[in-house]
Amino acid sequence: MPPIPITIITGFLGSGKTTLILETIPQLPRDYKLALLKNEFGDLAIDSQLASAAAISGVKELLNGCICCNLVGQLGDALDTLREDVKPDRIFVETNGNAFPATLAMEINRLARETGHYALDGVIVVIDVENWKGYTDISVTAKMQAQYTDLIIFNKWEGVSERQYEDCLDRVGDLELQVATVKSDRGRVNQGLLLGLDSALARKMDSSHTTSSTNSVGHGGHSHASDHQSEVEVLSIALQSTGSKAQGIDLESLETFLLSAPKDEIYRIKAIVTTARPPTSSNGTPAAAGHNAAGGLQRYILNWAFGRWTFTLTKLLPEVAVLSTEDSLPMKETTSGSYEPSLRMTIVLAKYEAEKWKRRIEAGGLLKLEHPDEHFVLEVRRLS
C-alpha cells in the first residue's frame, strides 16, 4: 500500500484552521476518505461539527496536552488507529494554537521512515491578519509557527484596512522566510495548493478533469473560481510520444527541473509519470519497482511540494488510459497512432509566474522523453 499523506495545519488560537478544513471538504472527490487527528487543550472533544461532516471518515482527538511535546509519544498510536479503522486517503493533523510544527513534522518523518505507512505532505500555517500584531507582540510561538512552514495562509484579511494588511506582510517579511504565501477567500484556499497528489486524487487527473483539481469538485460544492481574484496560477502539461514506440520520461532532466524549481515561484508540482526505471525521491530513496518491471514501462505519482518530492508506484492511470492489473503497464496506442502521454503534470504557481514558466517549458529541455530524437508532442496550457 502507498503511504498515507499527512498534512499538518497549525496556527495561533482562533486563526481559522478548522474553517480551512471545512472549506476544503467540498473540493474533494465524493469518495475521498479524509481523516482528522485533532489536538485540543482540556479534556472535552468539541469538534462535533467536523466529526459529523460527511467527508470526514474518522476523527481522533488528542486532548489535555500539546501534540508537539507531552503528547508526541501518542502520535504514532493515534495515526495507526486512523489507518487501521478508517483506511483514509489522507490525514489532516490540526494542532492546538500553541503547537510548534517543527517537532511534529520531525516525529511524522520518523514514523514514515520506520513504518512506511505515512508521508509528510506539507506544513501549513494559518495567520489571523486581524490579530497578527497582537500575536507577535506576546507570542514567540506565533513567530516560530510562521518560520517552520511550507505555506502561509493569510486569513481574516477582508475586515482590515490595506494599511493593516501591509503591516502584517511586513512583520512576516521581517522573519526573512522563503515560503509560499496566499490569501484565503473567507477561509477557503484552493485544494490544488493545499494538497499534494495521492492515489485517490490521481483518478481525476486526466484532460477532462484537470480543471476540477484546481477549482472545485466533489461534495456538491460550487466553483469559487470567479468569486475572488485567484491567488495562484495553474499550468497543465502533457508530453506524448508520437514515434514508433512508447517512451518513458527522461528522469535526469525531470530531476534537474525539480531541483531548480524556486519555492517562491512554484508552489506545487503534481504529475503522473511514465518511466522505464524507478525514479528517486528527494530524500534519495528509490521508488518501488513493479512486479513485472523488466523491460516494461511503469507509472508513478510525482508529488513536489515546497522543494521536496516523492514518487509513488501506482496502478492508477488517467481515465483515458488502459487499465491493467499489473504494476508494469503497456502504454495504450490511440486511434491516431500515438500513445497516451508519458507525462501529465499540473503546476501551481504564484501570481504572475505562469506565462514565464509556460514559455520556459515550451522552449524545450526542461521536460523531455528518454529518446528526444523521436517524434513527440508537448502541450502546455494555462488553466488560470
Side-chain angles (χ1 to χ4, degrees), residues 229-291:
Q229 185 178 6
S230 176
E231 287 293 309
V232 297
E233 298 176 346
V234 181
L235 293 178
S236 174
I237 301 165
L239 180 57
Q240 181 179 29
S241 172
T242 57
S244 58
K245 62 179 181 180
Q247 287 194 58
I249 288 294
D250 180 78
L251 290 177
E252 283 72 22
S253 61
L254 177 59
E255 181 176 345
T256 299
F257 172 58
L258 298 177
L259 282 169
S260 63
K263 293 187 289 185
D264 58 343
E265 296 181 14
I266 296 179
Y267 292 167
R268 283 196 179 269
I269 301 172
K270 315 174 189 186
I272 298 176
V273 181
T274 301
T275 71
R277 57 183 174 85
T280 300
S281 299
S282 58
N283 63 2
T285 303
H291 297 307

Side-chain angles (χ1 to χ4, degrees), residues 132-188:
W132 172 248
K133 181 177 180 180
Y135 292 166
T136 56
D137 285 345
I138 64 174
S139 175
V140 175
T141 302
K143 297 178 182 178
M144 295 173 75
Q145 286 175 341
Q147 286 177 313
Y148 292 91
T149 184
D150 296 315
L151 172 66
I152 293 176
I153 296 174
F154 294 109
N155 199 29
K156 303 181 183 180
W157 58 271
E158 295 91 345
V160 305
S161 67
E162 184 175 350
R163 176 66 179 271
Q164 287 176 289
Y165 178 63
E166 292 296 330
D167 183 57
C168 179
L169 291 182
D170 289 343
R171 286 172 173 268
V172 173
D174 291 341
L175 300 176
E176 298 182 349
L177 308 176
Q178 292 185 337
V179 300
T181 61
V182 66
K183 290 192 294 185
S184 75
D185 181 3
R186 302 191 182 279
R188 181 189 185 278

